[in-house]
Each structure stands twice: as structure tokens, then as C-alpha cells.
Amino acid sequence: MTRKTPPDPADKFDDEDYPAYTMGRAAEMIGATPAFLRAVGEARLITPLRSAGGHRRYSRYQLRVAARARELVDQGTPVEAACRIVILEDQLEEALRVNERLRDAASAAPRD
């Protein structure tokens, strides 16, 4: 029987999606309030994970997304609209990546 080694706790520090930050710390890191984080959660821009005690926990990726929404809100955009803009920006970025991969694949394909 092969013995599995336990996961290295340090690996979590490199994981962009690991929910390492409490609401208070997350808000502090992006210069917002806990109410702002709740608002972007209600707008479904981010969905924080919950600790065993039911507290919201945020990942670095979620904080980057929330920080972008905060920039837009600081410029006068309503929270709901800011969240929609961030979602559309993310979708555009993904579409551009897919197009680039398809272009690369097409240029590498043998020609008849």
C-alpha cells in the first residue's frame, strides 16, 4: 500500500483560489468596506467561500476582481454596473485568449 504524503500547507500560499482572507482583512487589502464586499457578492461578481463557522473567506483572485470593481465605483459607476463591466472584461479577455490559441493552432496546421 502506497502511503500518501499530506499536502504541504505552504502550497496554499501559491494558490490564487485558496480562500485565505477574512472579510475584514480582504476589505482592508482593497481599500473597501465589508459592505462593499457584500454588495459585489450580492451582485454575483464574486462568491466567497464560507469557513466552518460560516464566515466569508476570499481568495487573491476574488480580491483582484473586487478591486477592479472598486476602481469603477470610485469613478462614479454604480456597483451593479461596475460588476457587469468587470464580468464583460473577463469574458473579453478569455475570448481573446481562445482566439489566440485557435490562431496558433491554425498557423501550425499543415497546409494542403
Side-chain angles (χ1 to χ4, degrees):
M1 178 177 228
T2 307
R3 184 174 171 191
K4 292 183 179 180
T5 58
D8 183 0
D11 290 342
K12 294 177 184 174
F13 293 117
D14 295 330
D15 185 351
E16 291 286 308
D17 296 316
Y18 181 72
Y21 304 99
T22 63
M23 178 180 278
R25 180 70 179 127
E28 178 184 311
M29 289 173 70
I30 66 168
T33 63
F36 176 80
L37 288 174
R38 282 190 293 276
V40 296
E42 289 169 9
R44 299 179 188 245
L45 178 62
I46 58 175
T47 304
L49 292 174
R50 298 283 182 151
S51 69
H55 300 282
R56 291 174 179 91
R57 305 287 287 195
Y58 298 88
S59 69
R60 287 188 307 205
Y61 173 76
Q62 289 173 325
L63 293 183
R64 276 198 304 279
V65 170
R68 174 64 182 130
R70 183 181 172 271
E71 289 173 10
L72 293 168
V73 169
D74 287 349
Q75 294 170 6
T77 307
V79 172
E80 289 283 335
C83 291
R84 184 69 183 140
I85 290 167
V86 172
I87 290 167
L88 290 170
E89 287 174 342
D90 190 51
Q91 289 172 344
L92 175 60
E93 186 178 313
E94 178 61 21
L96 292 172
R97 276 195 301 268
V98 168
N99 285 343
E100 185 65 29
R101 281 194 303 261
L102 291 173
R103 267 191 236 107
D104 291 346
S107 67
R111 307 257 175 186
D112 290 332

